[in-house]
Amino acid sequence: MVDWILTRPDAWFGPVWGPAVFDTTANLAFIVAIVVPLLLCVAYLTLWERKFIGWIQIRIGPNRVGPLGLLQPIADGIKLLLKEIIVPTQASTQLFFVAPVMVLMPALAAWAVIPFAPEVVLADVNAGLLYLMAMTSLGVYGVIIAGWASNSKYAFLGAMRSAAQMVSYELAMGFSLVVVLMVSGSLNLSDIVNGQGRGSFAAKGLNFLSWNWLPLLPIVVVYFVSGVAETNRAPFDVVEGESEIVAGHMVEYSGMAFAMFFLGEYANMILISTLTAVMFFGGWQAPIDSALFNWLPPFGWLALKVFVVVTLFLWFRATFPRYRYDQIMRLGWKIFIPLTLAWIAVIGIWMQTPWSLWR
Amino acid sequence: MLAEYYPVLLFMLVGTAIGVVPMALGRTVSLLLGTHRPDAEKNSPYECGFEAFEDARMKFDVRYYLVAILFILFDLEIAFLFPWAVVLNEIGLFGFLSMMVFLGILVVGFFYEWRKGALDWD
């Protein structure tokens, strides 16, 4: 049966096109296997956010649609699908519809290079981290296009703020990634994870002390906080601060067009959390190398770490008041960039000494 | 080598489709099932109930532009740092020091713009 299926492309499309068709189909199947659970995660992250923030504020959170409110995201999706998509008369129509796609596409496409478990990665490319940098940078185009195409003052101001904030924190993120690269010596994300499993602590079975977070401690904080700012989440959400510029660049969007921005934001949150887990918290590795911890499969560990980090995003939102815009820019330019620059020198000098951990 | 990037390309196409298809669907479904009564006020840009009294594409603060320019400089610097960081263990002390000289020059520039107030926002 399996053989019969595997030989069909050759039988139907001939020896020239057969392998190409087979390759495309296999890759598409893998992509669907990534994207469908990812979109489900995004849907249920919205529910988890409402529940979790509800609990923090001693409320119950959504509990009407389905048991424990579990059908709430589906109800929200159907509602958004049925809502009218309004295109303002002043807007540039084509650009208006390009923008949501430009936000969503990079947030999804970046997953192509994420290693989910040893050897389980869609595209095991050498330049994985570079590709991720490129994809996460693309998101800012969607925001700018949305603000410009809407031709509304709130949208325009929101887009300006958002663009300046995103590029500022992208620098801090980029410098943090350089530090990770220095100690890993590879742009391939699987190599970065494997590199964290080596060291004197890992040899004793205490994997979690060999992960990058400990020797690169300030960088983890910078990376994660920059990630929060990069996704325009609270407390850095002046971009869509409802009390001053309504919803920023999204103000003119309704129905499914708005839903695309929403999906993009949440997909980006999960992406940043996954990257934090992969680059600083050992990816799929178990924290302690013993039968008790190895019981959970590698993918389970990655999922657990991502869940914890993504919950931090929600915790931030429920805890911190919103920053002022000048404070955001000061944090990005005057604290994070000098700190990461200095840390590049510190780690570089450490690597030149005999006590270097990364030979 | 380049064939490894084929799934990446496919993923971008799938990502684009996931953006385009629901919006097209939303457009048609809401037209068929939802109420659709456009009027001049509803379709005008949102301005808290005011009529939009001028074009939204107005003058904006030059500091946004300044941030964008500075971003290009520093992002290029990161692009230069990437290949250096990957091989840092092999190029040893000489490679490390030469990059520190380069970074030092950039840090001087960074302090200059800091002193000039290019990073202030109030």
Side-chain angles (χ1 to χ4, degrees):
Chain A
M1 182 65 192
V2 173
D3 283 343
W4 186 82
I5 292 173
L6 292 181
T7 51
R8 280 316 92 190
D10 280 352
W12 290 341
F13 298 98
V16 180
W17 287 98
V21 170
F22 178 78
D23 201 34
T24 310
T25 322
N27 278 321
L28 279 178
F30 199 161
I31 291 171
V32 169
I34 295 173
V35 164
V36 171
L38 176 66
L39 290 179
L40 274 178
C41 284
V42 167
Y44 278 91
L45 177 60
T46 63
L47 178 67
W48 171 237
E49 175 174 38
R50 292 168 70 180
K51 276 276 179 197
F52 186 72
I53 293 181
W55 293 339
I56 288 180
Q57 297 166 346
I58 324 184
R59 294 183 286 117
I60 299 171
N63 68 344
R64 280 291 172 269
V65 191
L68 301 170
L70 280 176
L71 297 179
Q72 184 72 47
I74 295 161
D76 287 343
I78 293 172
K79 182 200 78 177
L80 283 167
L81 187 67
L82 295 177
K83 290 278 177 191
E84 181 184 1
I85 299 180
I86 300 171
V87 186
T89 37
Q90 311 270 322
S92 324
T93 316
Q94 285 103 355
L95 282 181
F96 190 77
F97 286 111
V98 166
V101 181
M102 283 292 285
V103 170
L104 185 63
M105 188 278 281
L108 295 177
W111 288 83
V113 295
I114 303 275
F116 297 98
E119 311 288 317
V120 183
V121 50
L122 177 65
D124 199 15
V125 296
N126 319 340
L129 205 55
L130 210 54
Y131 170 73
L132 273 174
M133 280 280 287
M135 277 294 136
T136 46
S137 310
L138 270 184
V140 72
Y141 283 103
V143 173
I144 290 201
I145 292 174
W148 181 261
S150 301
N151 203 352
S152 154
K153 279 169 201 144
Y154 291 111
F156 183 69
L157 289 174
M160 296 308 289
R161 286 185 183 189
S162 171
Q165 176 183 334
M166 284 167 95
V167 297
S168 304
Y169 280 89
E170 212 170 286
L171 293 178
M173 271 181 122
F175 281 125
S176 325
L177 292 185
V178 168
V179 180
V180 174
L181 272 184
M182 286 162 71
V183 301
S184 324
S186 171
L187 281 160
N188 182 307
L189 287 158
S190 302
D191 288 349
I192 291 176
V193 174
N194 284 326
Q196 295 180 57
R198 288 191 292 269
S200 49
F201 284 115
K204 294 192 186 78
L206 295 170
N207 276 339
F208 70 102
L209 290 175
S210 277
W211 295 343
N212 277 342
W213 67 272
L214 188 59
L216 306 183
L217 196 54
I219 297 301
V220 188
V221 179
V222 170
Y223 182 80
F224 183 65
V225 175
S226 305
V228 177
E230 180 82 10
T231 48
N232 295 328
R233 292 287 301 179
F236 303 106
D237 61 344
V238 284
V239 169
E240 49 198 82
E242 53 278 273
S243 54
E244 22 182 320
I245 49 170
V246 216
H249 55 278
M250 298 185 276
V251 69
E252 298 292 354
Y253 285 86
S254 59
M256 262 308 175
F258 167 75
M260 292 303 110
F261 279 110
F262 203 70
L263 283 182
E265 178 177 335
Y266 281 77
N268 262 328
M269 272 166 69
I270 302 181
L271 179 68
I272 297 284
S273 310
T274 312
L275 289 180
T276 313
V278 164
M279 283 185 298
F280 298 103
F281 293 99
W284 64 73
Q285 296 171 9
I288 294 173
D289 192 17
S290 76
L292 187 66
F293 286 86
N294 289 336
W295 169 79
L296 195 63
F299 177 71
W301 278 112
L302 182 66
L304 191 67
K305 289 168 188 172
V306 172
F307 176 73
V308 170
V309 180
V310 98
T311 304
L312 270 181
F313 270 90
L314 312 182
W315 193 358
F316 275 20
R317 178 171 167 196
T319 307
F320 295 125
R322 186 176 293 140
Y323 265 55
R324 262 194 349 249
Y325 196 68
D326 62 314
Q327 291 172 326
I328 292 180
M329 295 311 260
R330 192 184 64 209
L331 182 69
W333 283 96
K334 294 191 176 174
I335 298 174
F336 280 179
I337 290 178
L339 182 68
T340 41
L341 272 174
W343 218 254
I344 287 175
V346 168
I347 296 290
I349 292 169
W350 189 357
M351 289 175 72
Q352 305 305 321
T353 61
W355 301 285
S356 167
L357 302 173
W358 307 279
R359 290 268 171 231
Chain B
M1 173 62 197
L2 208 58
E4 286 176 352
Y5 287 87
Y6 181 54
V8 172
L9 179 69
L10 274 180
F11 211 134
M12 287 183 191
L13 293 177
V14 171
T16 312
I18 289 174
V20 171
V21 171
M23 270 204 295
L25 211 63
R27 242 354 216 165
T28 46
V29 168
S30 70
L31 273 183
L32 292 176
L33 299 178
T35 11
H36 184 69
R37 289 194 211 94
D39 63 58
E41 271 71 45
K42 182 172 154 189
N43 284 353
S44 67
Y46 174 74
E47 238 171 77
C48 290
F50 280 106
E51 280 180 44
F53 37 75
E54 59 184 16
D55 195 60
R57 287 159 189 172
M58 51 195 175
K59 287 186 207 162
F60 59 89
D61 197 330
V62 72
R63 276 177 297 196
Y64 290 112
Y65 181 70
L66 198 59
V67 165
I69 294 278
L70 292 178
F71 163 73
I72 292 174
L73 286 180
F74 278 90
D75 216 35
L76 268 180
E77 186 182 340
I78 292 173
F80 285 133
L81 280 169
F82 260 56
W84 166 80
V86 172
V87 293
L88 184 60
N89 253 333
E90 285 129 59
I91 53 180
L93 192 61
F94 177 73
F96 170 69
L97 287 179
S98 37
M99 190 45 109
M100 283 304 115
V101 172
F102 173 68
L103 273 186
I105 295 169
L106 275 155
V107 165
V108 171
F110 184 63
F111 271 104
Y112 176 73
E113 76 201 29
W114 189 325
R115 298 291 299 172
K116 276 281 176 186
L119 307 177
D120 293 329
W121 275 83
D122 40 26

